[in-house]
Amino acid sequence: MGLLYRLTQAMIDFYMGDPNRIQHFIKVHSFARLIGEGEGLDEDTLFTLEAAALVHDIGIKPAEEKYGHCEGKLQEEEGPAPAAEMLRSLGFDSKVTERVCYLVGHHHTYTGVNGMDYRILLEADFLVNLYEGSSPQAAVQTALANIFRTRTGTQICRTMFDMDYISS
């Protein structure tokens, strides 16, 4: 079985008994892969993006245990260590592990985006969060203006939320 399959299973085990969190990372992974393929990412970047999408919220659980809540910055602080541990235990390459941990540690930081994997992870997470939060159209429009930069992510967001489509 491939590494991404094994990572998915490890994350399902990590969030045992928490179907909402399991559903969340599965959806973020699916959108990340879809956007990554639509944007023509090379195989290595797509692999790193998919791994990051699977573990992007791994910091929630340690943040809740340590602080009693899990706001975004705490997720960024608490996520890289358990992500690195999980990735290493599954045999991920150190270069991939390093980049995934960077993305986990920045997935709620919307400035200084350095790479398509980072950009796409933000967009995929926003697609799911906008839906799961039953966000109003104004919030979707704000996200479109401030977060979405890829052609594929923008098109998915506009279509999903029935926004007036403007081709670029």
Side-chain angles (χ1 to χ4, degrees):
M1 291 180 206
L3 284 175
L4 292 174
Y5 174 87
R6 290 181 20 225
L7 181 59
T8 303
Q9 290 298 327
M11 283 299 296
I12 290 170
D13 290 344
F14 182 80
Y15 278 126
M16 182 187 320
D18 194 342
N20 290 334
R21 297 240 166 88
I22 294 167
Q23 292 275 325
H24 177 82
F25 78 75
I26 293 288
K27 289 185 277 188
V28 171
H29 170 261
S30 183
F31 280 120
R33 180 173 177 81
L34 184 64
I35 297 168
E37 287 178 344
E39 294 300 307
L41 292 187
D42 64 84
E43 189 176 307
D44 291 339
T45 305
L46 183 61
F47 180 81
T48 300
L49 169 62
E50 288 189 67
L54 289 167
V55 300
H56 76 283
D57 277 345
I58 198 169
I60 287 175
K61 201 167 165 180
E64 286 178 335
E65 290 168 359
K66 197 171 182 178
Y67 304 103
H69 58 95
C70 63
E71 61 96 20
K73 288 301 168 194
L74 290 178
Q75 290 177 40
E76 290 181 337
E77 291 170 17
E78 298 296 326
E85 182 180 330
M86 184 178 286
L87 294 168
R88 278 195 288 270
S89 75
L90 294 171
F92 277 76
D93 173 86
S94 62
K95 182 180 171 194
V96 171
T97 298
E98 182 179 322
R99 181 63 177 171
V100 169
C101 288
Y102 176 83
L103 294 172
V104 169
H106 290 83
H107 79 280
H108 285 286
T109 302
Y110 310 122
T111 58
V113 175
N114 63 358
M116 284 296 283
D117 52 358
Y118 189 167
R119 169 61 54 206
I120 293 169
L121 179 60
L122 293 178
E123 291 182 8
D125 199 25
F126 255 86
L127 285 170
V128 176
N129 286 333
L130 288 167
Y131 168 73
E132 289 178 347
S134 300
S135 298
Q137 291 289 87
V140 175
Q141 193 62 47
T142 298
L144 276 167
N146 297 321
I147 301 298
F148 288 83
R149 298 288 179 268
T150 69
R151 179 193 52 78
T152 308
T154 300
Q155 180 181 359
I156 291 168
C157 187
R158 287 185 176 283
T159 303
M160 184 184 307
F161 295 102
D162 196 21
M163 305 298 284
D164 292 331
Y165 186 77
I166 301 168
S167 62
S168 45

